[in-house]
Amino acid sequence: MTTPPEHDGPPSDYRLLLPDGWFRILLDPEQRDRSVDALVERRFQGVDNAPHLKEEMRADLRRRAAEAYRGGGIELYLSFQEAGPLTVPASLLVSLAPLRGPEPLSPHDLAAAFAKGVEGDEDDTKVSVEELAAGTAVRVRSTTRPTERERRDGQRASVAVEYHVPVPGGAQYLLLTFSTPLEPVADAMAGLFDAIASSLTWTE
């Protein structure tokens, strides 16, 4: 079993190791637009003939970042990792999960609550308790399938992997929410997400 480092109080920050091709967007309103602009400029570096696409990307990222912040998000990571001629689409939202009761649930109790909530949906949702360097965490892997109308509109099934990690010395959970629309390679993507989550460490 991995034992997280001891803290007298909650850690001041955390660290994550992301592969090359992943970019961070800070979600705080005072930093959000600058963070989005820096990413857009980096993606379109050397491209001068696509101003419309550039502004579309900027508007879409600002919208996604604002939505993520309203949901408690701290940082949003987007994958522009390349595999041959293709870009591997994926995202990671880091947020603080709100306390839902007077006392925080232990990871095992939280996992049991999640498992009870998905009874009858075992094929598309898997709940487990995992040991990370940052401590004991709850892992939830799920698949969201589009409706018939959404399929006609070109939407595909998406795979999500959540890690709920208790913050040492505090009453909150840090939530890592990974997502990708690449269901045909879901296991490989989930393996990548697991590796990123395993890199989580607390800092003082």
Side-chain angles (χ1 to χ4, degrees):
M1 178 181 294
T2 303
T3 302
E6 294 184 359
H7 298 266
D8 293 330
S12 61
D13 207 347
Y14 58 86
R15 287 198 184 99
L16 280 168
L17 299 179
L18 278 295
D20 290 340
W22 284 69
F23 298 91
R24 181 178 70 162
I25 296 176
L26 300 174
L27 299 181
D28 182 274
E30 294 185 359
Q31 301 171 295
R32 183 191 307 152
D33 285 352
R34 289 196 302 273
S35 191
V36 167
D37 289 346
L39 172 53
V40 171
E41 292 303 323
R42 184 168 181 174
R43 289 295 296 164
F44 281 86
Q45 187 174 10
V47 179
D48 299 321
N49 60 348
H52 182 65
L53 292 177
K54 186 175 179 180
E55 289 310 308
E56 275 190 349
M57 182 181 185
R58 191 191 314 275
D60 179 61
L61 291 179
R62 287 183 175 178
R63 176 187 57 78
R64 292 176 64 180
E67 289 177 354
Y69 179 77
R70 287 194 294 271
I74 301 169
E75 297 177 325
L76 176 64
Y77 293 85
L78 298 176
S79 167
F80 294 98
Q81 198 172 359
E82 295 180 354
L86 303 176
T87 298
V88 180
S91 65
L92 163 59
L93 174 63
V94 182
S95 55
L96 279 173
L99 188 62
R100 298 182 179 179
E103 296 291 336
L105 290 175
S106 71
H108 287 85
D109 288 340
L110 182 61
F114 280 136
K116 185 176 181 180
V118 299
E119 286 180 354
D121 188 33
E122 292 86 354
D123 289 342
D124 285 339
T125 304
K126 304 291 185 183
V127 181
S128 60
V129 176
E130 307 291 340
E131 297 296 336
L132 305 179
T136 304
V138 180
R139 180 184 186 270
V140 182
R141 174 175 166 175
S142 59
T143 302
T144 301
R145 305 187 186 281
T147 64
E148 183 62 35
R149 180 175 180 178
E150 289 171 338
R151 279 197 296 270
R152 290 197 300 268
D153 291 338
Q155 293 191 36
R156 296 175 290 178
S158 62
V159 177
V161 177
E162 296 179 352
Y163 271 91
H164 301 255
V165 189
V167 178
Q172 292 177 302
Y173 274 78
L174 188 73
L175 175 58
L176 310 179
T177 304
F178 300 90
S179 182
T180 179
L182 300 179
E183 188 191 15
V185 290
D187 289 344
M189 294 301 294
L192 172 62
F193 299 158
D194 291 341
I196 295 172
S198 296
S199 76
L200 175 68
T201 54
W202 305 108
T203 62
E204 297 188 54

